[in-house]
Amino acid sequence: MPETEAQKIQRLPHEVVGRIAAGEMITRPTAALKELLENALDAEATRIRIDVREALDRHLEIQDDGRGIPRAELALALERYATSKISREEDLLRVSTLGFRGEALASIAEISHLTLISRCRGSEDAWQLRASGGQTGALEAAARAPGTTVRVEELFFNTPVRKRFLKSPAAELRLARATVTAFAVAAPGIAWAFFQDGKPLFEWAAAPDLRARLIEIHGARLVEGLLPVEAREGGVAVRGFVGVPELARAGRYHQTLFVNGRAVASPYLAQALRQGFGDLIPGHQNPWAVLFVTVPPDRLDVNLHPTKQEVRFLDERMVFGCVQRAVHQAVAKLLPRLFLGTERSPATGSSAPAPPRQSSAGAPARPARWGAIDGREATAAFYGTAAGSGEGILGESPKRAAPEDAEAFQEAMGLQGPLTDTAGAGGGSPPDLVSLWQLHNRYVLAQTRKGLLIIDQHAAHERILYEQILARMQREPAGGQQLLFPVVQELTEPESRLFGEIKGSLLRMGFDVEEFGEESVVVRGVPPLWRARSEASLLRDLLAEAEETGLREGETLEGLARAFACRAAIKSGTPLSMEEMNRLVDELFRTAMPHGDPHGRPTFVFVSLLELNRRFGRGGSE
Amino acid sequence: MKFTLMQSDLQKALHLVVSVVPTKSTLPILETVLLDAQPKGGLTLTATDLDISVRAQHGADVKEGGRVAVSARRFFDVVRELPEQEVALEGDESGLTLSCGSGRYRFVGATVEDFPSLPEIAAEREVGLDPRKLERLIRRTLYAVSTDETRPELTGVFLEVREQELRMVATNGHRLARAGLQGNFNSKREMLLPPKALNQLLRLMSDFEGEVDVSGTKNYARFVLGETQLYSRMLEGPFPDYDRVIPKSNPLQAIIRRNDLIASLRRILVLSDSQTRQVRMVLDDKQLRVLAEYQGAGEASEEIPVEYEGEKLTIGYNGGYLLEMLKTFDGERVEMRFQSEVSAGTFQPADEEPEESLLCLIMPLRLPEAG
C-alpha cells in the first residue's frame, strides 16, 4: 500500500508552529487583553486606556504611558521568547513582573493584524511597526506621547477553528470588563479607562488606595459593609476586604483573588477564604472578597500554564492557614462595626461615675443590655453584674459605679428604652426593658444607634445552644438538671445503636441517661436550659436529628451540637416575654459567632438608618 | 329588650367579664359580650374565649326581656366614659341602643345563636372556700407550672379535694410546689386548671368578700363568687403521681432564715451562669456557703448561718428556682431537708398557719465530678 503524504512524519512549517503555540496561549480575545495589560503594567504605566470596537476580536487597542520600547527593540518585541523581564533560567525562580515568558506579543502578532506604536520616555520620536500573521513590516515614523499603543485587529483571522469557537461578543466583553476590573483593583494607583465604540464603559481615576478604588468600582454603599483583612505570618501576607455574610452568593464571580499581584483562580485559596467565615455562610454560597496574598516569589510556582492563571504554593498549608485566620479575624470584628459604625465617640465621660440609678421611670437609666453586643469585653467590663443574669434583668442593679467611659459607651451604642428599675427587688411587675418587639412570634426587633436589628429567634437560640453545648462537651462536663419524673424513651434500632456510640458525649452535655431494657433508655436528667422545648423528648429528638443528618459519618462533636441546638431551640411562632427576648439577645451577642446559626443561616439582619433614609428619599441625612 | 340601671353598676358588671374577651379571634362572636335581660333575673353578662367564660349578674329594672350580643370592647369603652347616672338600654337581635342624658349610642348586634353556650354544671355547691386562702393556695403553686407545651399536663395546676384536705400542686418536672388546706370538705374532686383560668380567678377574687364555691364536671371547672361565675375548661391529664416522688424521709435537716437566703441568692445569682443559673450550696456545721461562677463574668460566694449539725453536703441548684420558691413562703424560717446531691431536696416554711401547709421540691443540678 503506497504511503500517502499525510502519513509521513515531517517538520511543521514555521508559521504553523507559531500558530499552535499562539493558540495555546491566546485562547480567547480576553487572554490577549490580559497579556497586553500585564505588559503595560510591567512598563510602569500610570494611565491605561482600553478601546474596543465592535468586538474584542475585531479591534482591541491598549494605550499606556509607560516606559515605551526603544526603536531598536521594536522588531525584537514581536519575536517569540524575547523578553526584557528575565534573562537567565535562575530568574524564573524569582519572577516579580507579571509577564516573563516573552510569548505574548509574538503570539498575538502571529494570529492577528497587530500595530505596535511606541515612544520611549525622554525620546522625541515615536515609531510604529505592523505585523500580520507573524509577518513583520517595516519600521515607520509615527506620532505619540511617551508610552506604547498596541492595536490588535482581526484576531484569529488565520486560525479559523479558534475563531469558530469564540463565545458571543457580549460574553467576551463581559469577561474583558471583569478582567480589567480585577487589574484595576490590583493597581489602584493607575488610572483606567475602558471604551467601547468610543463610549466609556468606565473611567477610574488613580485612587490613593484599595478602598478608594473599590468605592469607585462598587459604590460607597457596598464598601461600607466590607471588612478589612490584614495579616502577616512568616513570609505570607494577606490583605484586602471581605464582605459581610449577606453579600455571599453562589458562584465565584464576586471573588477576586490575587497572588503576588496576579489575579488567579485558586479553588484552594477560595476554600481557605470560605473556612475563615466558619459556618456563617450557607454551603452553596461563597463570600464576597478581594484578597491579596503575597508570598516570597521563590515559594510560588506560576509557570504551570501559559496563561498564568493557576498558581502553586510550596507551603500550601501555611498559606491556607494564614488566609483562613486572617479572614476569621476580620469576620470576628463584624459585630462591633455593624452597631457602632467605624467611629466610636471620644470619651465624653470623664472619670466621674455614671449617674446613680433612680427607680422612677424616665430617670437616668443604667446602660441597657445592648452593651453585650460589643462582645465579651464590654460585657464583662461594663455589665459584669447584670449581663446574662436573669435576676439582674428582674430589677437588680449594680450598686457600684460604672467604668469611666460608661457614658461615652452608652452614647455610642445609642441606647434606647432606658432600663428603668422596677419597684423594689421583690416586685412582681415586669421590668421595663430596652425596646424590643417580637414580630409574628418569630423575629425580635431592636433599635440600635445605627439602625434596626432584626433577629430570628430560632436561629439565634440555635447559635447560643450550639456554642454552649459544644463548650460543655469539649471542656467542662456541666451538671444536668435532674428530673422529678424520669422519662423512659423507646428507641428504634438505629437510634439505639447511635445512642451507644455517642453516650459519652450525651453525658458530657448534661444528660443523665442509661439503657433501660433492650431498646429504651431512661432519662433522669437533661442539660439545664432556659426555655427548653419538649424536654421529655429532647434526647429522642436529638437522636432522630443526628440520624437524619447522617451524624455517624461525621462523628463530630460539632454535628452533635448542631443536632442538639436544632432540636432544643425555641421554635418560630413561640411568644417570648420581654425578659426572654432580652436574654436571647444578650446571650446571642456573647457567642463567638453571633452572626449565623450553626447551619450558616443568618441569625440577624441589620437595616441601617442610612438604608432607611435612602428608601424614604431622605438622601444622606442621618 | 328594654331595661335601665345605673352606669356604675353596668360598668362594674362589664368590668368583671370583658378581660376574658380575646383581643383578636378567628371567631368574631368571641369578641362580643352577651347581654341577657330578664324581668325577674335582672341583667346577665357573658363573655368567653371558649376555654374560659365569665358570667356576671346584676340587678336591673327590666321592662322587656331579650338577648343581644355586641362588641365587648366598644360597649365597655363607651360605658366607662359615661357620667354616673341612670342609663337606658333598648334593643333586639339587630342591635342595642344605649341612652344616657342627651347621648344615644347604637351598637350593631351579632347573631345571638352563634354565642357559645356555657357548660351545664349542676347547681349544687361542692366546696366553699375563703377567697384569701384560695388566693394563697394559687400564689404558692402557680409559679411552678411548666411552659413546655409538649407536656400539657404539667402546664396547669392540679387541684385535689379530699375528705379533710384540699391541695393544689404544680410542677415543671424540675421543681414541685404542693400547698394544702385542712378542712371538712367531705367531697372528692380532681381538677387540672390552666394558669389563665387561675389568673382570672385571682382577678375576680381581688375584691370579693364572700365564699368561693368550687364545683365541676369531668371537663369543666366552675368557680362561683356571689353573682359572678367563672367556667374553665380543664387541661388534659393525667397529672403525674406526685406523691410518689416526694421523699418520705430526707435525713439531713437544716433551718435557715428566709430573708438571709433570699438576699444572698439575689446577690449571688448576678454572677451565676445565665443559662443554668447554677448555684452551689455547701452545707456544713452551722453554716451554709452559697457559691456561683459565670465564666467570663466572675464568681461570688457567701456564708449564711444555719441550724445544721449533719455531715457536710454539697448540692447544686438552679438558684432561680430557689428564689422563686422562697418568695412564696411566709414566716421567718425555712426548713430544708436533703438526702444526697442527686435527689430531691424539700423545702417548707418552718412556722406555718395551723390548717395550712406548703411543701416544695427542687431537683438538684448534678454538679460536675470535679466540683
Side-chain angles (χ1 to χ4, degrees):
Chain A
M1 201 163 94
E3 284 188 334
T4 64
E5 251 193 329
Q7 283 168 323
K8 280 189 208 151
I9 292 178
Q10 54 183 333
R11 195 176 289 275
L12 285 171
H14 169 75
E15 61 273 22
V16 176
V17 174
R19 275 179 226 158
I20 290 172
E24 198 179 310
M25 173 155 204
I26 309 301
T27 52
R28 55 194 298 176
T30 304
L33 171 66
K34 181 173 158 293
E35 295 297 333
L36 296 173
L37 291 177
E38 286 187 355
N39 284 348
L41 289 176
D42 286 342
E44 294 162 7
T46 64
R47 309 185 64 82
I48 296 175
R49 173 179 165 136
I50 301 107
D51 272 284
V52 174
R53 295 211 182 117
E54 283 183 56
L56 225 59
D57 52 319
R58 294 298 303 278
H59 180 110
L60 169 68
E61 187 173 308
I62 316 259
Q63 302 174 42
D64 69 49
D65 63 348
R67 275 194 309 264
I69 306 168
R71 178 188 171 183
E73 292 168 22
L74 272 176
L76 200 57
L78 295 182
E79 252 175 58
R80 186 169 300 275
Y81 307 124
T83 180
S84 59
K85 295 163 190 173
I86 57 173
S87 52
R88 294 167 299 161
E89 197 189 340
E90 300 93 277
D91 289 347
L92 273 174
L93 296 178
R94 286 186 289 274
V95 176
S96 58
T97 49
L98 293 173
F100 58 86
R101 294 166 59 117
E103 288 177 293
L105 213 47
S107 295
I108 298 168
E110 201 77 55
I111 51 176
S112 70
H113 306 303
L114 184 138
T115 310
L116 182 61
I117 311 167
S118 194
R119 174 175 154 192
C120 282
R121 284 180 193 159
S123 162
E124 291 298 312
D125 347 282
W127 294 91
Q128 161 174 318
L129 191 62
R130 287 177 197 274
S132 187
Q135 300 300 311
T136 308
L139 211 54
E140 296 165 41
R144 199 200 183 285
T148 303
T149 299
V150 182
R151 189 184 306 134
V152 181
E153 287 161 299
E154 302 303 332
L155 188 64
F156 302 129
F157 80 97
N158 53 355
T159 54
V161 177
R162 179 71 73 190
K163 188 154 185 81
R164 210 177 306 141
F165 283 95
L166 287 183
K167 294 254 163 54
S168 75
E172 201 60 35
L173 191 68
R174 264 201 303 281
L175 187 69
R177 284 183 71 154
T179 303
V180 177
T181 305
F183 272 97
V185 166
I190 291 171
W192 295 83
F194 195 152
F195 285 74
Q196 187 196 15
D197 295 325
K199 277 174 273 170
L201 291 178
F202 50 73
E203 286 175 282
W204 294 318
D209 56 20
L210 175 62
R211 189 182 161 78
R213 170 54 44 90
L214 290 177
I215 291 175
E216 281 181 320
I217 298 173
H218 299 288
R221 191 166 160 193
L222 183 133
V223 176
E224 217 171 79
L226 298 184
L227 308 163
V229 176
E230 180 91 63
R232 179 175 285 279
E233 272 180 47
V236 182
V238 184
R239 64 178 189 91
F241 291 94
V242 292
V244 292
E246 290 94 308
L247 289 177
R249 298 281 176 274
R252 296 238 163 92
Y253 284 112
H254 50 297
Q255 290 185 349
T256 324
L257 305 178
F258 300 90
V259 173
N260 288 7
R262 186 191 309 279
V264 294
S266 168
Y268 191 70
L269 283 183
Q271 188 56 27
L273 164 64
R274 192 165 206 302
Q275 289 194 10
F277 271 81
D279 44 30
L280 290 183
I281 291 186
H284 62 287
Q285 296 185 347
N286 292 302
W288 194 102
V290 169
L291 279 190
F292 292 86
V293 179
T294 313
V295 299
D298 59 347
R299 310 304 292 162
L300 180 74
D301 187 356
V302 293
N303 207 9
L304 292 180
H305 189 271
T307 61
K308 293 171 276 189
Q309 277 223 341
E310 290 170 37
V311 291
R312 181 182 293 154
F313 300 102
L314 298 184
D315 319 287
E316 280 202 324
R317 285 175 157 274
M318 187 186 158
V319 174
F320 190 98
C322 184
V323 170
Q324 187 193 345
R325 280 186 291 276
V327 171
H328 187 84
Q329 279 166 19
V331 175
K333 288 183 196 139
L334 187 61
L335 290 158
R337 276 214 30 194
L338 264 186
F339 298 105
L340 289 170
T342 40
E343 88 281 28
R344 202 155 159 173
S345 20
T348 54
S350 58
S351 55
R357 72 180 172 94
Q358 297 172 19
S359 53
S360 62
R366 69 170 166 165
R369 308 176 50 72
W370 275 99
I373 63 183
D374 201 29
R376 292 163 196 280
E377 256 180 339
T379 309
F382 197 60
Y383 300 97
T385 50
S389 147
E391 194 56 26
I393 298 168
L394 281 170
E396 310 288 58
S397 281
K399 295 217 166 60
R400 57 189 167 77
E404 52 183 35
D405 65 341
E407 279 175 89
F409 186 63
Q410 186 177 353
E411 203 273 324
M413 298 306 293
L415 297 167
Q416 292 299 317
L419 184 60
T420 49
D421 201 10
T422 46
S429 59
D432 181 16
L433 298 169
V434 180
S435 53
L436 289 171
W437 186 42
Q438 195 186 20
L439 186 70
H440 292 284
N441 289 339
R442 180 175 298 216
Y443 300 108
V444 177
L445 273 60
Q447 178 173 329
T448 75
R449 181 180 182 206
K450 293 278 171 184
L452 169 70
L453 192 65
I454 306 171
I455 297 163
D456 178 326
Q457 65 187 45
H458 175 72
H461 200 207
E462 263 193 279
R463 161 56 64 182
I464 295 167
L465 292 178
Y466 171 74
E467 290 196 6
Q468 278 172 345
I469 215 77
L470 196 58
R472 218 176 273 173
M473 286 190 291
Q474 285 167 339
R475 292 198 305 270
E476 17 158 348
Q481 169 69 56
Q482 300 299 107
L483 297 179
L484 268 169
F485 310 101
V487 185
V488 175
Q489 302 251 285
E490 295 196 4
L491 301 181
T492 64
E493 203 213 306
E495 279 170 353
S496 99
R497 196 169 343 108
L498 180 60
F499 172 79
E501 286 166 25
I502 63 174
K503 188 177 171 191
S505 295
L506 293 172
L507 295 180
R508 279 196 301 277
M509 278 182 173
F511 281 103
D512 184 349
V513 58
E514 59 194 340
E515 287 89 351
F516 189 74
E518 280 289 299
E519 274 182 0
S520 39
V521 291
V522 57
V523 184
R524 298 183 201 283
V526 294
L529 303 164
W530 67 275
R531 196 72 201 225
R533 158 186 144 199
S534 60
E535 191 169 74
S537 54
L538 190 56
L539 178 76
R540 217 201 137 138
D541 284 353
L542 170 60
L543 290 172
E545 175 77 18
E547 258 282 302
E548 257 172 53
T549 52
L551 181 76
R552 274 177 300 178
E553 271 76 44
E555 289 306 343
T556 56
L557 293 181
E558 283 82 2
L560 198 55
R562 229 187 322 268
F564 175 86
C566 185
R567 288 306 173 116
I570 45 174
K571 280 192 278 196
S572 283
T574 309
L576 295 179
S577 69
M578 191 61 85
E579 188 206 336
E580 288 170 324
M581 284 192 268
N582 264 279
R583 197 162 169 175
L584 185 74
V585 172
D586 202 41
E587 291 191 2
L588 174 65
F589 290 109
R590 285 176 63 90
T591 61
M593 281 279 202
H595 205 281
D597 77 1
H599 308 286
R601 293 179 296 239
T603 51
F604 62 80
V605 168
F606 182 68
V607 184
S608 74
L609 210 51
L610 239 57
E611 159 85 22
L612 287 172
N613 287 343
R614 263 192 294 261
R615 291 199 169 215
F616 285 104
R618 298 162 68 103
S621 66
E622 227 179 304
Chain B
M1 71 193 300
K2 202 169 180 182
F3 63 96
T4 56
L5 77 170
M6 287 302 291
Q7 179 271 345
S8 55
D9 293 340
L10 181 56
Q11 183 180 344
K12 198 166 17 162
L14 271 172
H15 180 73
L16 291 172
V17 302
V18 288
S19 74
V20 175
V21 176
T23 46
K24 45 179 189 281
S25 170
T26 46
L27 276 178
I29 193 71
L30 299 185
E31 292 172 26
T32 66
V33 55
L34 179 72
L35 291 87
D36 186 349
Q38 297 302 332
K40 285 178 191 155
L43 174 66
T44 305
L45 299 172
T46 311
T48 181
D49 70 357
L50 292 181
D51 289 331
I52 295 169
S53 312
V54 178
R55 169 169 283 174
Q57 270 141 318
H58 207 286
D61 185 4
V62 181
K63 296 182 184 68
E64 206 180 289
R67 305 202 303 163
V68 62
V70 294
S71 157
R73 183 44 57 196
R74 291 203 183 90
F75 187 53
F76 182 57
D77 284 351
V78 167
V79 168
R80 68 178 176 181
E81 297 299 334
L82 292 173
E84 194 182 339
Q85 62 186 77
E86 198 177 65
V87 294
L89 294 113
E90 190 172 354
D92 53 38
E93 279 252 337
S94 70
L96 178 71
T97 303
L98 186 157
S99 310
C100 178
S102 68
R104 297 280 176 284
Y105 315 88
R106 180 166 169 82
F107 303 88
V108 174
T111 313
V112 169
E113 283 69 36
D114 289 347
F115 199 90
S117 51
L118 298 194
E120 301 283 328
I121 296 179
E124 70 207 52
R125 134 192 193 150
E126 290 183 26
V127 176
L129 287 172
D130 175 347
R132 302 289 86 78
K133 292 197 167 136
L134 181 53
E135 245 170 40
R136 251 153 91 91
L137 287 168
I138 296 173
R139 289 197 193 285
R140 288 174 151 197
T141 49
L142 185 55
Y143 74 94
V145 298
S146 165
T147 53
D148 179 355
E149 304 206 334
T150 61
R151 299 186 75 182
E153 74 278 11
L154 297 188
T155 63
V157 177
F158 186 62
L159 187 152
E160 185 180 24
V161 186
R162 301 179 175 187
E163 295 298 319
Q164 304 295 321
E165 192 181 18
L166 181 144
R167 282 177 175 181
M168 288 183 94
V169 188
T171 178
N172 68 353
H174 304 166
R175 51 137 179 237
L176 180 145
R178 186 192 76 188
L181 184 65
Q182 307 291 323
N184 286 319
F185 300 109
N186 297 321
S187 176
K188 255 184 163 346
R189 185 161 289 285
E190 292 182 354
M191 298 174 165
L192 189 45
L193 300 165
K196 205 163 59 164
L198 293 172
N199 280 316
Q200 282 292 342
L201 183 58
L202 285 174
R203 193 181 64 83
L204 295 175
M205 282 194 297
S206 63
D207 49 4
F208 176 70
E209 294 299 337
E211 204 167 62
V212 179
D213 291 347
V214 184
S215 54
T217 64
K218 190 163 164 287
N219 296 316
Y220 285 91
R222 182 179 64 180
F223 299 86
V224 181
L225 300 82
E227 301 289 278
T228 309
Q229 296 141 51
L230 169 73
Y231 293 82
S232 170
R233 193 198 290 272
M234 286 197 274
L235 295 170
E236 295 271 344
F239 193 74
D241 181 5
Y242 65 90
D243 267 333
R244 193 174 50 84
V245 298
I246 296 176
K248 298 290 171 283
S249 60
N250 267 354
L252 306 171
Q253 184 204 38
I255 302 227
I256 193 165
R257 284 167 50 89
R258 187 170 71 100
N259 286 334
D260 287 356
L261 187 53
I262 288 181
S264 279
L265 283 170
R266 284 204 167 121
R267 292 184 288 261
I268 298 278
L269 274 172
V270 170
L271 290 170
S272 72
D273 184 313
S274 72
Q275 186 83 194
T276 65
R277 311 201 71 198
Q278 176 175 300
V279 295
R280 184 186 305 241
M281 310 221 298
V282 185
L283 204 52
D284 210 345
D285 200 23
K286 294 198 169 38
Q287 70 163 28
L288 173 70
R289 272 192 86 186
V290 187
L291 309 95
E293 59 186 343
Y294 190 12
Q295 217 172 29
E299 56 195 57
S301 77
E302 283 192 28
E303 274 155 34
I304 311 169
V306 65
E307 290 172 37
Y308 179 71
E309 281 164 2
E311 62 199 71
K312 183 172 171 179
L313 176 74
T314 301
I315 190 163
Y317 279 114
N318 175 330
Y321 286 167
L322 284 170
L323 197 56
E324 265 186 296
M325 172 194 75
L326 290 169
K327 284 176 183 170
T328 69
F329 280 27
D330 300 299
E332 223 176 272
R333 301 180 309 149
V334 177
E335 183 189 306
M336 311 187 284
R337 284 174 166 274
F338 308 98
Q339 182 169 25
S340 75
E341 67 283 352
V342 291
S343 61
T346 59
F347 303 82
Q348 56 193 123
D351 324 281
E352 220 6 328
E353 298 287 319
E355 77 276 19
E356 295 184 7
S357 68
L358 177 61
L359 178 73
C360 295
L361 253 65
I362 304 183
M363 287 303 280
L365 281 170
R366 200 163 35 109
L367 295 168
E369 303 298 323

